[in-house]
């Protein structure tokens, strides 16, 4: 097996700390085309404080990197091209981020006007052409009830969890 080191471009690397990613085989398919058990290649992890991650013991093959939507990352992940992992070698992948919309707000108690800490805010983002969310973000309010979300351009609908 080989290894994959992931770095970031387009955002401050430290902003990715704790953000989740996956590496997967783009040719695995859904399984619907050929019933039965199939071996898939799928790895997950999180970025460290320097915005890097390394995945060891990756079988040779073709992989795609995905970074899951993280409301606190001030950029939108841009899906890259598949890359190859070769046995005994170290491959690199770059998590590229483009500009993001920034939305902020505050959750308050209606009776007192005080900010509510620890409230989960869920954001559905659509492109306006259909009502199905194309992106969903989750964040938690701070001690004063404030939150900040970064995501792609679109229509934002907020929910409290």
């Amino acid at each position: 097996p080989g290894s994959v080191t992931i770095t970031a471009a387009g955002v401050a690397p430290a902003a990715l700390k704790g953000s989740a990613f996956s590496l997967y085989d783009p040719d695995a398919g859904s399984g619907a085309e050929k019933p039965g058990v199939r071996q898939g290649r799928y790895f997950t992890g999180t970025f460290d404080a320097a915005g890097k991650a390394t995945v060891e013991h990756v079988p040779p093959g073709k992989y795609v990197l995905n970074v899951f939507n993280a409301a606190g990352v001030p950029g939108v992940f841009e899906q890259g091209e598949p890359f190859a992992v070769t046995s005994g070698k170290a491959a690199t992948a770059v998590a590229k981020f483009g500009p993001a919309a920034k939305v902020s707000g505050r959750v308050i108690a209606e009776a007192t006007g005080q900010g509510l800490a620890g409230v989960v805010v869920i954001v559905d983002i659509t492109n306006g052409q259909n009502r199905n969310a194309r992106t969903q973000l989750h964040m938690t309010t701070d001690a004063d009830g404030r939150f900040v979300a970064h995501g792609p351009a679109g229509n934002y609908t907020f929910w409290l969890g």
Side-chain angles (χ1 to χ4, degrees):
S3 65
V4 179
T5 298
I6 305 165
T7 59
V11 295
L16 286 174
K17 180 182 177 185
S19 294
F21 68 86
S22 68
L23 298 176
Y24 64 92
D25 177 355
D27 297 325
S30 67
E33 64 279 351
K34 190 174 185 182
V37 176
R38 297 182 298 98
Q39 180 179 359
R41 296 186 305 247
Y42 187 83
F43 300 87
T44 62
T46 58
F47 288 92
D48 65 17
K52 292 185 179 182
T54 300
V55 182
E56 302 286 349
H57 310 293
V58 179
K62 185 167 43 169
Y63 292 87
V64 171
L65 171 66
N66 184 49
V67 177
F68 299 106
N69 297 322
V73 176
V76 176
F77 176 68
E78 299 174 353
Q79 187 75 55
E81 294 296 318
F83 60 92
V85 174
T86 306
S87 187
K89 303 229 177 187
T92 59
V94 178
K96 294 180 185 173
F97 290 83
K102 177 181 176 182
V103 179
S104 60
R106 186 172 185 225
V107 179
I108 60 170
E110 187 174 2
T112 65
Q114 297 293 321
L116 296 174
V119 176
V120 175
V121 179
I122 302 165
V123 182
D124 288 333
I125 306 170
T126 62
N127 62 10
Q129 296 176 0
N130 69 46
R131 294 182 169 246
N132 295 326
R134 66 178 174 152
T135 302
Q136 191 174 73
L137 306 173
H138 296 243
M139 68 224 68
T140 304
T141 59
D142 66 13
D144 194 36
R146 298 184 189 285
F147 66 90
V148 175
H150 296 89
N155 297 321
Y156 283 56
T157 303
F158 294 84
W159 308 90
L160 301 180

